[in-house]
Amino acid sequence: MVVSREMWIRGPVGAGAEARVTRAGCRTALVVVPTMTAGTRLLDIVPLLESDHRVQVVFTVPHTTDHWPGVEEFVRAQHGLLLPWEQAVQHTFDLVLAASHRHLEQLRGPILLVGHGAGTMKSHLYSRKAESPVLPATGLDRELLTYRGRILPSVLALATEEERTALGSLCPEVLPAAVVAGDICLDRMIDGDRFREHYRQVLGLNPRQRLVTISSTWSTDSIFGRVPSLCKAVLDALPSSRYSVAAVLHPNVWTVHGRRQVAAWLSDCAEAGLLLIPPDRGWQATMIASDWVIGDHGSTTAYAAAIGRPVTVATDPGDRLRPGSIADLVRRNSPLLESGPLPAQETEAIRCREHLRPVATAAISSRPGQAAAILRSEMYRLLGLPEPDCPPSVPMLPAPLPIEV
């Protein structure tokens, strides 16, 4: 979609802005949302600065020939000021927040780049974009972090010391921009564990019910790709008086296939009681509320393991996982789903969780509990503003509101 200058919005940036604004002299921070996955991660970070009267936060969604559908609707639902992409790339911002490598070379202003899942390095050994495997893809490769010899991020926020070591081998010229910040999503989930009972009540669970959550990433080697009947099988196998079942699907499942189609595919499960969690709200709270997670190699399964939820792995991508990656560690330290009775497999997952949790936590973050402080400090440094005197805080994780099918 091409947006002409006549369609540019009369917002707080650009020519004539000084005659339009009510709050003058604000630093401008641009939040770049090419995918819903990137957007949900950035919404963990934006609250660290958006309440500051010295800062104006605006959003943009890249419009290219291969853009993801539904992303603009997702951003509009957050009620932030949305700049057309063609307008955003013409303006120089005081800070650019990104959780994806896409289109960074077109943006003007210091970029803070964070990962959009568990860990900055990919768990897949090869890029999904490649038609055939050639070289391993890590997320820290030179072609992602530089453009024509120019280093793209002013700050590259890494999750672990292992990632910094890997960066030194893969793209050492970016090391001066690297900061090990930990994982703000994990920190929020650990903090949100105190609201576990509230989230369970919102989901309609009674105190005696156990919540089993089926967690699927996207692509053909995911749970929903390989075993689409798993939700129904689990519902049929467990008595509803003692168990409730939820499903958390990666945003790209919804984006690629469409919300109506995904809901239709799972309509029989929803009629049988499945709690279908929307892609843009509530997956973190659902993991907190869970008693057992049946997952795959996706980030949501890893986060569940890191907050101490028992995990059973239902699909195995085999040698397509990078050895030593987060997904590989979860796979090697969790039981594999079998065809036998489910309660016994839940018991086995509970037995394994105390060993699994520290492994998953260490793989996701080297700075537990520190991500908000580190990221805020870096953002204000790039903005050229002194940090607020108060400690950083982020709002409570949104409660899960299952989709009505």
Side-chain angles (χ1 to χ4, degrees):
M1 183 177 81
V2 176
V3 179
S4 68
R5 284 182 178 269
E6 289 73 21
M7 296 177 65
W8 288 13
I9 67 168
R10 296 189 177 187
V13 299
E18 66 279 356
R20 297 189 293 266
V21 298
T22 300
R23 287 287 304 157
C26 289
R27 301 287 205 276
T28 55
L30 178 69
V31 183
V32 186
V33 188
T35 65
M36 195 183 302
T37 312
T40 54
R41 176 51 51 92
L42 292 170
L43 290 176
D44 286 331
I45 297 171
V46 169
L48 296 173
L49 57 78
E50 68 179 343
S51 61
D52 193 324
H53 290 196
R54 301 169 296 171
V55 179
Q56 165 76 60
V57 176
V58 297
F59 296 77
T60 192
V61 174
H63 279 289
T64 62
T65 55
D66 63 345
H67 70 277
W68 296 82
V71 180
E72 187 166 314
E73 291 82 355
F74 161 73
V75 174
R76 291 192 184 281
Q78 313 310 315
H79 305 291
L81 183 65
L82 182 62
L83 289 184
W85 174 248
E86 289 76 9
Q87 184 177 3
V89 297
Q90 295 299 319
H91 185 75
T92 299
F93 295 89
D94 299 297
L95 173 66
V96 176
L97 297 178
S100 167
H101 301 94
R102 294 169 182 265
H103 316 300
L104 297 185
E105 73 283 355
Q106 300 181 53
L107 299 166
R108 303 178 185 181
I111 296 171
L112 186 148
L113 176 62
V114 301
H116 57 256
T120 307
M121 298 177 69
K122 301 176 183 295
S123 285
H124 267 90
L125 184 59
Y126 301 105
S127 171
R128 289 187 177 100
K129 299 176 186 177
E131 294 182 2
S132 61
V134 247
L135 293 173
T138 66
L140 298 176
D141 305 303
R142 180 172 285 110
E143 60 266 28
L144 298 175
L145 299 175
T146 66
Y147 179 73
R148 295 181 177 176
R150 174 168 62 97
I151 295 171
L152 293 172
S154 297
V155 172
L156 175 62
L158 303 175
T160 65
E161 293 290 348
E162 178 193 12
E163 291 175 354
R164 179 162 27 202
T165 300
L167 180 67
S169 298
L170 295 164
C171 191
E173 60 268 38
V174 179
L175 273 175
V179 174
V180 179
D183 189 299
I184 194 168
C185 177
L186 177 60
D187 289 351
R188 292 189 73 191
M189 292 178 73
I190 291 172
D191 179 70
D193 199 47
R194 58 199 169 107
F195 301 112
R196 173 176 157 85
E197 291 308 316
H198 167 70
Y199 295 140
R200 290 175 62 83
Q201 290 172 13
V202 171
L203 287 169
L205 304 172
N206 67 52
R208 296 181 301 277
Q209 277 184 310
R210 300 184 64 77
L211 177 62
V212 180
T213 297
I214 297 169
S215 166
S216 177
T217 188
W218 65 296
S219 77
T220 54
D221 55 8
S222 68
I223 283 180
F224 198 59
R226 284 191 182 181
V227 199
S229 60
L230 183 61
C231 290
K232 190 63 166 63
V234 172
L235 283 163
D236 291 343
L238 297 174
S240 59
S241 58
R242 293 179 50 211
Y243 288 90
S244 187
V245 181
V248 171
L249 307 181
H250 191 285
N252 283 354
V253 177
W254 301 87
T255 297
V256 171
H257 294 288
R259 179 165 171 155
R260 180 185 179 94
Q261 182 64 77
V262 175
W265 280 335
L266 291 170
S267 58
D268 59 336
C269 298
E271 291 173 4
L274 180 71
L275 303 171
L276 185 56
I277 307 302
D280 55 345
R281 180 186 175 92
W283 74 264
Q284 294 152 305
T286 303
M287 292 300 166
I288 291 169
S290 299
D291 297 288
W292 181 27
V293 173
I294 301 174
D296 53 22
H297 55 281
S299 290
T300 51
T301 304
Y303 283 120
I307 64 170
R309 298 302 173 260
V311 167
T312 298
V313 175
T315 59
D316 185 353
D319 59 6
R320 288 188 293 277
L321 285 187
R322 179 173 59 82
S325 66
I326 294 172
D328 180 49
L329 292 171
V330 171
R331 171 180 64 178
R332 289 195 277 115
N333 289 276
S334 304
L336 188 65
L337 188 68
E338 299 175 347
S339 58
L342 290 180
Q345 298 190 65
E346 179 189 9
T347 301
E348 177 63 12
I350 293 171
R351 187 187 69 80
C352 294
R353 71 172 164 182
E354 291 309 316
H355 174 69
L356 172 62
R357 181 175 188 175
V359 171
T361 301
I364 292 174
S365 173
S366 293
R367 302 286 188 272
Q370 301 177 53
I374 295 171
L375 290 172
R376 189 180 78 165
S377 177
E378 293 299 323
M379 286 191 289
Y380 275 91
R381 181 176 65 81
L382 295 179
L383 285 167
L385 291 173
E387 281 191 75
D389 294 332
C390 59
S393 63
V394 289
M396 176 182 172
L397 289 168
L401 297 175
I403 293 173
E404 294 185 6
V405 179

